[in-house]
Amino acid sequence: MNSLDSRLLEALSCVESRLLTMAKKQQYRFCVGPWNFSVGQDPYGPPTRRDESFDWKLSQLKILGFEAMMFHDDDAVPEIDSKSSTQILKETRELRKRLDGEGLVAEMVAPRLWFAPQTIDGGYTSNDPKHRRYAIDRSKRTIDIANELGTDLIVLWLAREGTYLRESKSGARSVELLVEAMDAMLKHDRKIRLSIEPKPNEPMDQAYIPTIGHALAIAQLTLDPKRVGCLIESAHAILAGLDPADEIDFAMAFDKLWSLHLNDQNGLKFDQDKPFGSANLRVAFNQVRALERNGYGKKGEFICFDVHPFRTTTEENWLQHLSNSRRTFEHLLAKAKTYPEKEATALIAARNYQDLDQLVLEHLMGVR
Ligand code: XUL
Ligand code: MN
């Protein structure tokens, strides 16, 4: 190679790395699930809004600027338990075509192991071996669906893997059963990754995997720890009495934050799935800062909003919780980028946390 060729190559690689950096700046891509278009029912009352078709929901995502949809197995194939593998495959392929047609991708697929009669006492940790088998078989079908939809991410919200009554199950045995179930999934497909979404309570009194620390610890017991990571939901971290920003820093220190459900939660009660930032703007701001400092999204991870409209929301405002969450995220991103780092560093050095506190508040209020 002569020197002109090598200079040309150098220039080309310089342009390429510039383009890559520019592309990386557009780091955030957004996603929601069909359940986030909920119709207002709660344990005390019926729906308050008319439902819309799945296709309508799909088309709205694109209009709202979202790029992906997340799925439960039966969001992808309704009434999945009554269908043969051939039928499931056929319907999944049709769904893939509809997604491709809208220019959307599937972010993940999650087995819904909390609805069927077989999961009343839990899925993988049920005391009934037949029901444990059902949970594992259904999870394998979920993996087959994910393959057809073109995603390698399986989300495990371990909804009923816990107890209402501590003495009804053995915690030690339950850990073994969870590991066995995850191993069966990892063996079923050598490419998929499992992303555990911890939540400490609801529907259970006590869950076996309540926090990110538990999720990452149990990953180590599986046959392929590299393929077991986690998903943080802001509300779930708050329900565990934790700061979601700390959970983000912790998971990302292990390179294990493969998905994220941003939302908000006002204190320790039922899972509220409020719009992002709705209850505590400062906690939301700190989550955005944590994502920024760790480079979340640079490997293609999505920001998903696991938010619901308020029960009182009327049909014409039905999508606002989605676009509002995204707007809040983007405003907080601008706040994170303009945070007065130098001033903050000086206050930290002087251990003047009193004024650091005020600096954050005034920055958020737009006066600094
Ligand atoms: C439940 C929850 C679920 C999971 C997906 O609290 O957050 O919607 O995100 O199964
Ligand atoms: Mn969630």
Side-chain angles (χ1 to χ4, degrees), residues 282 285-286 289 293 339-365 367-368:
R282 186 176 186 167
F285 169 65
N286 280 317
R289 276 194 90 205
R293 81 177 144 254
Y339 181 64
E341 302 283 355
K342 272 204 190 126
E343 267 180 77
T345 309
L347 291 170
I348 291 166
R351 215 178 72 196
N352 187 352
Y353 301 162
Q354 213 65 62
D355 284 346
L356 179 66
D357 183 39
Q358 192 62 14
L359 178 74
V360 174
L361 293 182
E362 292 187 358
H363 183 60
L364 287 177
M365 288 188 281
V367 292
R368 252 164 118 171

Side-chain angles (χ1 to χ4, degrees), residues 23-40:
K24 278 186 181 158
K25 282 209 170 119
Q26 302 289 326
Q27 149 188 348
Y28 297 110
R29 298 186 298 160
F30 300 93
C31 167
V32 295
W35 65 91
N36 300 118
F37 295 80
S38 48
V39 287

Side-chain angles (χ1 to χ4, degrees), residues 45 100 136 171 192 293 340:
D100 289 350
I136 292 180
I192 53 115
R293 81 177 144 254

